[in-house]
Amino acid sequence: GAGTFKELFLCLLSAILLVLSFPRSNFEFFAWFGFTPLFFAIWNKSKAKAFLLFYFTGIIFWLITIYWLVHVTLVGLIVLVLYLALYFGISGFIISHFLGLTSYFRLFLIPSIWVILEYLRSYLFTGFGWALLGYSQYLNLPIIQIADIAGVWGVSFLVMMINVAVYKVLSIGYSVLSNEQKAKIIFKYCILPAALLLLSLSYGFYNLHNTQYTTRNTLKVSVIQGNISQELKWQEYSESFILDRYIKISQEASLDKPDLIIWPEAAAPGFLFERQDSWIFQHIFNLARDLKTNLLIGTVVKENSDYFNSALLIDSDGKIIKRYDKLRLVPFGEYIPLKKIFGFLETVVPIGDFTKGREYTIFSLPTKFSVLICFEDLFPELSRRFVKKGADFLVNITNDAWFKQTSAAYQHLCTCVFRAV
């Protein structure tokens, strides 16, 4: 009936507001009240109904947010959307209990529930910490500075707390209380979120304007992008074309006299230590020598029967100084978790069979830095470990060409901004 239509409309409205707060739309302001329609939809509903309404919202949100996965696997996209939407559903199931309480503590409880479920999603079953609520604020630099204390989840908590306060203020407006009573309750529910928001902004502005940048070991870096379509990536006939493109762009970049030129993930169109590909790497070593510049390149390394997704630092003499092997591999992309159970997926999805690295590598030029390959920037503890080992800055090399010209790369960038913070 009309009631069901209204509920579904409110769910759809929430899903669209949340989608628009992420790249490429970047209306990050929408995230601060995006859940409010959904809260109205589950008002006075049973826990089961709240679960379903949140679950429906989650399906719409994830379908529009990670639609780009269809370029790799339609089945994988559907399974992942249905799985990720469960976190919405579970949060709705629990939140519906607290939404009906008059307790002031729901200002803390509802954001806490959301953040706990985001955290679980980031690590459970190998983890998928994509499009966390806090990431929507990646362009809002003063707000996200609290991430150096509380991580992206601290920002998610703050955004969700404001959502609860907005919902409360709007629901008070519909009540039969006197204006004086309404004003009292509104003040009570706004004072704490406003104070936390003000504190976060103050901390953010302080951090942004009081960072002391040291200039003792500055490094001039050129980052280049070959823009190679995934269809060409591993075709034998493309090897020369890909190599020539990267050499040409590197030569152009070298005119600025950089100390380091960076190529993307797996940019070298061959496997290091594979005899038939040795000519490719000879060209790359010669390039470093000719340009008298250090090169950081992404490549696949073959050692015995193991394959590694790696970053190589090549010095201006054309010698490999150091190598980093990717520590966190993409599940169902670079390896199959629980292969005995999920082995059949090899026939459904293009899955590599990589071996994970073992070492937290620090490169030195003499400024120290570390490399995160592809989705490793989703895991804050990797960045933290590298920095604790002495890295002054972090490099993320990635190949998002799988997803063509979609919002995937822009959404990926959000995570990098938080790792920098």
Side-chain angles (χ1 to χ4, degrees):
T4 307
F5 177 78
K6 182 186 165 191
E7 287 155 15
L8 292 177
F9 172 75
L10 289 170
C11 291
L12 197 61
L13 181 59
S14 268
I16 298 300
L17 286 171
L18 292 170
V19 165
L20 291 175
S21 63
F22 286 91
R24 293 164 76 175
S25 310
N26 289 324
F27 294 115
E28 71 262 24
F29 182 69
F30 288 171
W32 298 90
F33 55 88
F35 281 93
T36 309
L38 190 51
F39 290 156
F40 276 108
I42 66 164
W43 170 247
N44 266 345
K45 301 290 185 299
S46 68
K47 287 188 176 70
K49 189 81 180 281
F51 173 89
L52 289 171
L53 291 171
F54 259 76
Y55 190 63
F56 172 70
T57 308
I59 286 173
I60 304 296
F61 171 79
W62 284 113
L63 207 50
I64 303 173
T65 301
I66 59 169
Y67 72 95
W68 36 261
L69 202 58
V70 76
H71 290 299
V72 178
T73 162
L74 175 60
V75 175
L77 170 66
I78 293 164
V79 170
L80 191 58
V81 164
L82 293 175
Y83 163 69
L84 293 172
L86 278 173
Y87 290 93
F88 265 78
I90 295 164
S91 65
F93 182 84
I94 305 169
I95 285 169
S96 66
H97 174 71
F98 296 111
L99 210 57
L101 299 178
T102 49
S103 171
Y104 187 64
F105 285 109
R106 63 179 163 182
L107 267 178
F108 292 98
L109 289 168
I110 293 172
S112 298
I113 291 156
W114 182 262
V115 166
I116 288 165
L117 284 162
E118 273 198 343
Y119 190 84
L120 284 174
R121 169 161 72 81
S122 302
Y123 291 99
L124 217 55
F125 311 122
T126 74
F128 189 71
W130 197 269
L132 302 175
L133 187 57
Y135 285 146
S136 65
Q137 304 304 305
Y138 82 109
L139 293 173
N140 195 343
L141 294 187
I143 278 290
I144 68 172
Q145 297 309 307
I146 59 167
D148 67 359
I149 301 168
V152 62
W153 298 287
V155 182
S156 289
F157 184 92
L158 189 62
V159 173
M160 189 51 110
M161 185 185 254
I162 301 293
N163 269 279
V164 177
V166 170
Y167 164 75
K168 186 63 189 172
V169 168
L170 291 176
S171 62
I172 290 294
Y174 288 110
S175 69
V176 291
L177 300 170
S178 69
N179 286 344
E180 196 180 329
Q181 286 172 312
K182 285 181 184 178
K184 261 186 190 168
I185 297 171
I186 288 171
F187 179 77
K188 181 184 166 188
Y189 272 89
C190 288
I191 189 73
L192 183 71
L196 276 180
L197 198 58
L198 196 62
L199 273 172
S200 301
L201 282 168
S202 304
Y203 179 78
F205 281 117
Y206 175 81
N207 259 14
L208 288 170
H209 293 99
N210 285 278
T211 306
Q212 298 301 312
Y213 296 104
T214 52
T215 51
R216 53 193 169 83
N217 284 335
T218 54
L219 199 68
K220 193 172 184 182
V221 178
S222 280
V223 182
I224 65 170
Q225 169 59 284
N227 203 22
I228 310 294
S229 76
Q230 197 58 36
E231 288 76 27
L232 294 176
K233 187 81 193 73
W234 294 112
Q235 300 297 336
E236 210 171 307
Y237 63 80
S238 302
E239 289 174 349
S240 295
F241 160 72
I242 292 170
L243 190 59
D244 288 347
R245 175 169 284 190
Y246 276 107
I247 288 173
K248 185 170 175 290
I249 305 173
S250 299
Q251 286 166 340
E252 285 175 30
S254 72
L255 299 175
D256 289 330
K257 299 276 185 292
D259 302 303
L260 177 66
I261 295 176
I262 300 173
W263 291 14
E265 174 190 15
F271 298 169
L272 184 66
F273 305 135
E274 178 84 85
R275 192 179 295 127
Q276 71 210 42
D277 290 339
S278 60
W279 67 274
I280 293 171
F281 293 92
Q282 208 44 63
H283 275 294
I284 292 170
F285 299 148
N286 290 342
L287 175 70
R289 262 200 303 274
D290 295 345
L291 301 181
K292 297 182 176 56
T293 306
N294 302 291
L295 285 181
L296 178 75
I297 68 160
T299 184
V300 175
V301 174
K302 186 184 179 189
E303 271 185 356
N304 305 317
S305 59
D306 290 332
Y307 291 89
F308 297 92
N309 188 349
S310 306
L312 298 183
L313 183 60
I314 301 160
D315 69 11
S316 51
D317 294 327
K319 292 185 174 60
I320 297 172
I321 306 176
K322 224 170 197 180
R323 172 179 132 205
Y324 166 66
D325 298 328
K326 190 177 183 186
L327 292 164
R328 289 292 294 247
L329 299 174
V330 178
F332 306 109
E334 292 173 319
Y335 80 107
I336 300 178
L338 306 171
K339 201 166 185 178
K340 284 179 182 167
I341 302 169
F342 296 115
F344 70 92
L345 286 171
E346 280 184 295
T347 57
V348 183
V349 188
I351 298 173
D353 195 9
F354 285 88
T355 303
K356 67 175 182 177
R358 295 173 192 87
E359 197 185 333
Y360 287 81
T361 307
I362 302 288
F363 297 101
S364 187
L365 276 179
T367 306
K368 292 178 175 165
F369 67 95
S370 289
V371 178
L372 301 161
I373 299 177
C374 189
F375 98 141
E376 286 189 316
D377 59 1
L378 264 68
F379 302 96
E381 64 278 10
L382 286 184
S383 299
R384 186 162 62 244
R385 189 89 176 261
F386 283 128
V387 172
K388 280 188 170 177
K389 283 179 77 88
D392 293 314
F393 69 95
L394 300 168
V395 174
N396 180 271
I397 57 172
T398 188
N399 170 24
D400 283 330
W402 292 98
F403 312 114
K404 310 202 183 304
Q405 292 183 5
T406 62
S407 54
Y410 299 85
Q411 292 169 10
H412 197 167
L413 178 67
C414 301
T415 62
C416 272
V417 174
F418 276 78
R419 298 302 78 84
V421 175

